[in-house]
Amino acid sequence: MDLLSNKWIVNLLVCCLFIGVGCNSVEKKIYVHLNYTVPCVRLLNATHQIGCQSHLSGNVGVLHVLESEENVDWVLRSGPNPPYLVILESPLFTRSIMMKLKNGSSRVAGVAVVAPSANPLEGVSPHTTCPNENTGVYTENYDPSLAHCNVTVWNPLGSGLSYEQFDFPIFSLKDDNDTQVIRQCYMDHNRAVNGSTPQYPLCAMQLYSHMSAVTDTATCMRRNDINFSISPEMVCDPLGDYNVWASTRPINNTAKGHKMWESVVIAAARLDSRSFFFEVAPGAESGVSGFVTLLAAAHALRNATQEAPPNRTILYTFFQGETFDYIGSSRMVYDMQNNNFAVDLDNVHSVLEIGQVGLRADSRLWLHSDPVSRKNDSVNAEVRKLIESLQTAAKGLNVSVNEPGFSQPLPPSSFQRFLRARPIPGVVIEDHQSAFTNRFYESMYDNAEYLNISYPPNLTPEEQLVFVTDTAKALTEVATVVARALYIQAGGAESQLEGINADPQIVTRMLYGFLIRSNNSWFQQRIPPDFMSHLTDRPTNFYVGVAQQRSELTHLVQYLLANLTGSTANISQDNCQNQREDEKDKESKHMYSYVWVQGAAPPNSTKREGFCVRSTVRLSKALSPAFDLRDYTSKNYSTWTESRWKSIKGRIFLVASHDLEMLTLGVGVAVLLASLLLTYIMSSKADILFSSGREPANATY
Ligand SMILES: *[C@@H]1O[C@H](CO)[C@@H](O)[C@H](O)[C@H]1NC(C)=O
Ligand SMILES: *[C@@H]1O[C@H](CO)[C@@H](O)[C@H](O)[C@H]1NC(C)=O
Ligand SMILES: *[C@@H]1O[C@H](CO)[C@@H](O)[C@H](O)[C@H]1NC(C)=O
Ligand SMILES: *[C@@H]1O[C@H](CO)[C@@H](O)[C@H](O)[C@H]1NC(C)=O
Ligand SMILES: *[C@@H]1O[C@H](CO)[C@@H](O)[C@H](O)[C@H]1NC(C)=O
Ligand SMILES: *[C@@H]1O[C@H](CO)[C@@H](O)[C@H](O)[C@H]1NC(C)=O
Ligand SMILES: *[C@@H]1O[C@H](CO)[C@@H](O)[C@H](O)[C@H]1NC(C)=O
Ligand SMILES: *[C@@H]1O[C@H](CO)[C@@H](O)[C@H](O)[C@H]1NC(C)=O
Ligand SMILES: *[C@@H]1O[C@H](CO)[C@@H](O)[C@H](O)[C@H]1NC(C)=O
Ligand SMILES: *[C@@H]1O[C@H](CO)[C@@H](O)[C@H](O)[C@H]1NC(C)=O
Ligand SMILES: *[C@@H]1O[C@H](CO)[C@@H](O)[C@H](O)[C@H]1NC(C)=O
Ligand SMILES: *[C@@H]1O[C@H](CO)[C@@H](O)[C@H](O)[C@H]1NC(C)=O
């Protein structure tokens, strides 16, 4: 015992001594950890990997602030100290520059993009020009002349950057003091003045974003399986979440796949969006404008569907993961076909989908329909009726609804997945006649600013929350049109239409909650107490995420939809949380879902008064069927997975020259060897040096 601890102390002493000597003061003079960095991560599908990654130990490069596109030559050829870590101001974050850097990736250690605080003037979209090109209905089998956006290129500004694969890390930095430190470090140390070569020490940056998964989804799922038996270490996870749905009549959700006597009209919108960077997905026009409109329409229909219920049930559906090859809608259709959903596909009468509706020029909405299924007379007649319903619904409102006026396929939409299954009549409402009006489709700029949501100066957050913006007024009109059209479509009487009106107060609060900050009193009153910690002072993130966890967005939409379409039930908290009306009740849970929400505090009190909300709101899986079928090379279903990673971080410091580093390393190694030798000598002679005399020294060897 004594002997062992003696040896340990000797070791420690020797090491401390030499570390003191070996430490070199040039190596890391300044050392700033970057706090607000957002990486680009690796995603995989059946055939490709996209996104970015670093080496396991991070990528280090000499900082170079790119000043213009011509300047890229310094990075790729003339600069004397490669590899470089390129700092890009966002206007230079273009396909042309990024592809040059990608091609010269041996001299590029990474890229950091400084996100601007205001949107650019020109349109920018890192998405593809033809979103979800291969998984919609327009394939070669359906109609070759319409496949691959042959007639209409929906997103002409799309650069496709989000779908490229880079061998180096790419981070986004907020334009703040950190970024100022970086610029200053570059100016002080790295800038070539008058063509001279910058001298060491140089300012360098290190970025960590090592990704565990490689090649494609089949490969990473196989590795998941293999390693699960040895150690449960996963390398990738399927993208996915939950769809949210509700019906105007309660439907027995336990009895799957039964044919009902009445048919349903599906009112659909999608929830998710994305951008180049991980979890930066503001999706204001591409997602929020549509689903907020549908939420407001569902609310507008609550009274009418209860007091004068139309013959058909309206099914509100909010799809998740649509950005990644229609995960949510393909799953719902698949479940409907396989008797795994409360409604059978045969019961679907028609579909009305709300797409991007936030940027209407001249208050016009465009009604898109599928020219192929409309060749069938009965489908065509139903589509005509639906279009007429929409025109009737828009009467007297500041909205005009039009057909595009020429034959073109549907824009990217969940409805396409229904058409893949069978020719169901349907219409997709958009604010664009052909190509998107959205100039920032699936980019970090598709935000509240772009939707023109602005408030008078000097309003407190709570005042902003209740301020009715012009955008909210405009979307309220759209929601009213949608609600009235759905009512007619469901067989309701036109005499009731006057009473169906969306509420601008609610629309403006939802826009504020999703696009400015979710932590506001209006949202707080409508959620369960344990969900409070998920509300933030930032806009909601609309990236779908991985399938094991439900995102904040899914929950928020679930609670809001319950509040907007359900009713308050006089039920105890305990019964509410156990999905029953009272202790004996075992049936209600099949028809309704119950949520205990925290409500508001009465005027003189700080204690909130919770209550129970009874509604028909349900969640259903939005995981691509490819993963249930274990068909990881599927051509019909989404195969997107997200790689796992250990750490995402960045820092900057000064590096000495390569020669000096090598010298330091050499000295370090020499010191290490010397210390090992010394340790060995000392411990082998320990019985002499530290004579304890109780045990022979070689007993431990
Ligand atoms: C970044 O985080 C570190 C540690 O959390 C903190 O010391 C530093 O002040 C932060 N820097 C900035 C610019 O916020
Ligand atoms: C890629 O780099 C090579 C030289 O490294 C060059 O010859 C080639 O033209 C580059 N390709 C593109 C597309 O820039
Ligand atoms: C679309 O495809 C059809 C048939 O494949 C072809 O004849 C037509 O020229 C294409 N149209 C465009 C605009 O490319
Ligand atoms: C996978 O993604 C890549 C990059 O976007 C695309 O080119 C390819 O077609 C996709 N593969 C499938 C099977 O969808
Ligand atoms: C940034 O720097 C300025 C001036 O140096 C300082 O006033 C400000 O508080 C800093 N902001 C943060 C977030 O550190
Ligand atoms: C760079 O060159 C300009 C003109 O050639 C000169 O005025 C300036 O002083 C030079 N700067 C340095 C740091 O040498
Ligand atoms: C998973 O297992 C494979 C083969 O057994 C091995 O090569 C790989 O390193 C493992 N990966 C992880 C992350 O454990
Ligand atoms: C709902 O369906 C389940 C399973 O078929 C059945 O047990 C239950 O009684 C039904 N409830 C109602 C209210 O129809
Ligand atoms: C619904 O009806 C209730 C009472 O019948 C009324 O107070 C409420 O304003 C109505 N809501 C709408 C949106 O018409
Ligand atoms: C709705 O149902 C009622 C009663 O069952 C029937 O008289 C009416 O014709 C139906 N309306 C439609 C549009 O089917
Ligand atoms: C919705 O939430 C508000 C605020 O808590 C509450 O006043 C209202 O009664 C709720 N509606 C329903 C149907 O529970
Ligand atoms: C709340 O306060 C007001 C005045 O401060 C008082 O008139 C009222 O009775 C109080 N209400 C309750 C429920 O205590």
Side-chain angles (χ1 to χ4, degrees):
M1 276 298 276
D2 272 350
L3 186 73
L4 284 177
S5 53
N6 276 340
K7 272 199 231 166
W8 189 76
I9 289 170
V10 173
N11 275 331
L12 197 72
L13 273 176
V14 171
C15 291
C16 287
L17 185 71
F18 281 106
I19 285 167
V21 175
C23 266
N24 120 0
S25 50
V26 197
E27 197 180 329
K28 284 157 194 176
K29 256 193 194 146
I30 21 173
Y31 205 84
V32 182
H33 280 269
L34 302 173
N35 291 356
Y36 305 106
T37 54
V38 182
C40 132
V41 302
R42 174 171 289 166
L43 303 176
L44 309 100
N45 70 1
T47 51
H48 288 66
Q49 57 179 2
I50 61 169
C52 320
Q53 85 151 351
S54 75
H55 302 300
L56 192 53
S57 52
N59 281 23
V60 185
V62 170
L63 277 186
H64 182 78
V65 177
L66 201 68
E67 276 147 20
S68 66
E69 182 150 3
E70 291 73 54
N71 193 223
V72 80
D73 193 58
W74 175 269
V75 175
L76 297 179
R77 271 170 288 276
S78 58
N81 316 107
Y84 285 99
L85 211 142
V86 184
I87 310 289
L88 287 181
E89 300 293 338
S90 57
L92 294 176
F93 183 52
T94 59
R95 183 177 179 90
S96 145
I97 290 185
M98 289 310 293
M99 294 317 274
K100 283 182 190 163
L101 294 176
K102 175 177 167 165
N103 186 25
S105 61
S106 61
R107 285 174 60 97
V108 179
V111 172
V113 183
V114 182
S117 40
N119 283 357
L121 294 174
E122 315 85 60
V124 181
S125 170
H127 211 75
T128 52
T129 51
C130 188
N132 290 354
E133 180 173 351
N134 300 319
T135 43
V137 71
Y138 300 105
T139 58
E140 264 76 14
N141 308 338
Y142 196 66
D143 187 341
S145 66
L146 303 180
H148 306 295
C149 293
N150 172 324
V151 176
T152 305
V153 175
W154 296 110
N155 186 30
L157 293 167
S159 70
L161 260 192
S162 290
Y163 288 88
E164 290 293 335
Q165 133 82 14
F166 295 94
D167 294 329
F168 45 76
I170 303 178
F171 277 53
S172 164
L173 305 174
K174 239 178 35 189
D175 197 357
D176 60 6
N177 286 6
D178 272 3
T179 331
Q180 213 39 54
V181 171
I182 295 170
R183 288 201 190 93
Q184 199 55 48
C185 194
Y186 169 77
M187 291 305 240
D188 294 348
H189 298 277
N190 297 11
R191 213 154 90 101
V193 185
N194 288 353
S196 70
T197 318
Q199 299 297 311
Y200 280 103
L202 293 174
C203 193
M205 186 188 255
Q206 184 168 31
L207 298 179
Y208 293 83
S209 64
H210 181 70
M211 298 289 144
S212 312
V214 288
T215 316
D216 55 38
T217 289
T219 310
C220 80
M221 292 307 281
R222 202 161 54 232
R223 277 186 57 177
N224 279 350
D225 290 347
I226 292 172
N227 291 19
F228 199 76
S229 52
I230 306 165
S231 69
E233 183 152 18
M234 309 285 274
V235 290
C236 67
D237 304 284
L239 291 183
D241 199 304
Y242 283 79
N243 299 321
V244 185
W245 64 272
S247 53
T248 50
R249 258 193 217 108
I251 298 177
N252 189 336
N253 191 41
T254 320
K256 307 286 185 193
H258 69 307
K259 306 251 190 296
M260 301 182 297
W261 61 269
E262 88 267 30
S263 53
V264 301
V265 173
I266 292 185
R270 76 158 175 175
L271 293 175
D272 69 308
S273 50
R274 72 170 298 207
S275 79
F276 185 85
F277 294 103
F278 180 64
E279 292 198 333
V280 178
E285 157 78 344
S286 70
V288 179
S289 67
F291 78 74
V292 162
T293 299
L294 184 54
L295 282 169
H299 176 244
L301 279 167
R302 176 165 59 191
N303 279 3
T305 53
Q306 277 163 14
E307 283 154 20
N311 289 10
R312 299 188 186 100
T313 302
I314 302 170
L315 194 75
Y316 308 108
T317 58
F318 297 83
F319 292 118
Q320 268 284 15
E322 296 300 277
T323 309
F324 293 98
D325 290 330
Y326 304 119
I327 296 173
S329 55
S330 66
R331 179 56 185 250
M332 189 175 282
V333 172
Y334 175 83
D335 284 345
M336 284 178 166
Q337 287 176 308
N338 289 284
N339 295 343
N340 220 345
F341 191 78
V343 175
D344 191 274
L345 194 59
D346 290 337
N347 288 117
V348 177
H349 171 266
S350 52
V351 176
L352 178 60
E353 178 167 345
I354 298 103
Q356 311 186 78
V357 291
L359 300 168
R360 286 181 294 138
D362 313 323
S363 302
R364 297 177 89 163
L365 283 175
W366 299 95
L367 309 179
H368 296 261
S369 55
D370 170 47
V372 180
S373 57
R374 286 185 74 175
K375 285 179 194 150
N376 174 319
D377 287 340
S378 65
V379 173
N380 188 38
E382 286 296 333
V383 174
R384 277 250 62 82
K385 257 166 59 188
L386 181 49
I387 290 170
E388 277 158 22
S389 306
L390 280 152
Q391 280 160 346
T392 310
K395 274 196 199 114
L397 295 170
N398 182 21
V399 178
S400 76
V401 291
N402 310 274
E403 284 189 86
F406 54 92
S407 179
Q408 94 184 321
L410 285 171
S413 48
S414 314
F415 176 44
Q416 291 197 21
R417 293 299 309 199
F418 287 86
L419 284 174
R420 265 176 92 115
R422 76 186 47 167
I424 294 169
V427 162
V428 180
I429 306 181
E430 303 273 357
D431 59 16
H432 52 88
Q433 184 175 17
S434 57
F436 294 163
T437 37
N438 187 350
R439 290 179 296 123
F440 298 127
Y441 189 70
E442 309 292 24
S443 82
M444 63 207 278
Y445 309 118
D446 188 3
N447 50 19
E449 178 189 341
Y450 185 47
L451 268 198
N452 221 345
I453 296 175
S454 56
Y455 299 94
N458 307 328
L459 291 193
T460 64
E462 283 301 306
E463 286 165 347
Q464 291 184 344
L465 173 68
V466 300
F467 181 84
V468 180
T469 60
D470 289 342
T471 310
K473 285 180 195 152
L475 281 185
T476 305
E477 299 256 300
V478 180
T480 302
V481 173
V482 168
R484 291 180 179 181
L486 281 171
Y487 191 71
I488 305 173
Q489 185 66 8
E494 286 185 27
S495 57
Q496 299 284 329
L497 293 189
E498 294 281 289
I500 300 176
N501 289 293
D503 183 351
Q505 300 284 340
I506 287 177
V507 174
T508 206
R509 285 165 173 81
M510 288 196 285
L511 290 175
Y512 182 85
F514 287 114
L515 295 173
I516 312 280
R517 58 171 65 86
S518 55
N519 192 9
N520 61 70
S521 62
W522 200 77
F523 276 22
Q524 282 165 10
Q525 289 167 19
R526 284 159 178 78
I527 59 166
D530 57 8
F531 191 70
M532 268 297 267
S533 60
H534 295 281
L535 300 184
T536 65
D537 289 339
R538 290 188 309 275
T540 313
N541 162 36
F542 296 104
Y543 172 67
V544 57
V546 296
Q548 294 92 331
Q549 58 221 37
R550 288 171 223 179
S551 62
E552 270 90 66
L553 171 62
T554 304
H555 282 298
L556 275 176
V557 171
Q558 177 192 359
Y559 302 140
L560 291 188
L561 187 60
N563 181 276
L564 296 175
T565 62
S567 56
T568 311
N570 190 9
I571 300 175
S572 73
Q573 181 168 5
D574 189 46
N575 285 332
C576 187
Q577 284 164 344
N578 285 305
Q579 305 292 312
R580 59 191 184 197
E581 302 269 330
D582 56 51
E583 274 73 12
K584 289 193 235 33
D585 175 28
K586 291 205 163 51
E587 279 298 303
S588 300
K589 65 166 189 257
H590 300 300
M591 309 306 277
Y592 294 102
S593 69
Y594 300 83
V595 194
W596 183 265
V597 299
Q598 59 180 3
N604 297 1
S605 159
T606 54
K607 196 172 172 321
R608 290 177 182 275
E609 288 180 351
F611 58 94
C612 188
V613 182
R614 181 203 296 121
S615 71
T616 59
V617 177
R618 308 279 183 175
L619 299 184
S620 74
K621 250 194 205 164
L623 170 67
S624 167
F627 295 96
D628 281 21
L629 299 166
R630 303 180 71 81
D631 178 8
Y632 305 133
T633 53
S634 173
K635 287 197 160 53
N636 295 320
Y637 297 113
S638 167
T639 52
W640 287 105
T641 49
E642 181 188 282
S643 173
R644 292 213 177 171
W645 57 83
K646 290 259 159 55
S647 73
I648 300 273
K649 59 184 179 192
R651 57 188 187 178
I652 62 174
F653 47 81
L654 287 184
V655 282
S657 78
H658 193 61
D659 296 347
L660 188 55
E661 276 190 332
M662 280 299 140
L663 184 69
T664 313
L665 182 67
V667 171
V669 170
V671 165
L672 180 70
L673 290 177
S675 75
L676 284 177
L677 188 66
L678 192 66
T679 315
Y680 175 73
I681 293 169
M682 285 177 91
S683 32
S684 63
K685 299 284 181 244
D687 47 344
I688 302 165
L689 289 171
F690 311 95
S691 55
S692 69
R694 258 182 278 162
E695 277 177 278
N698 54 6
T700 43
Y701 292 99

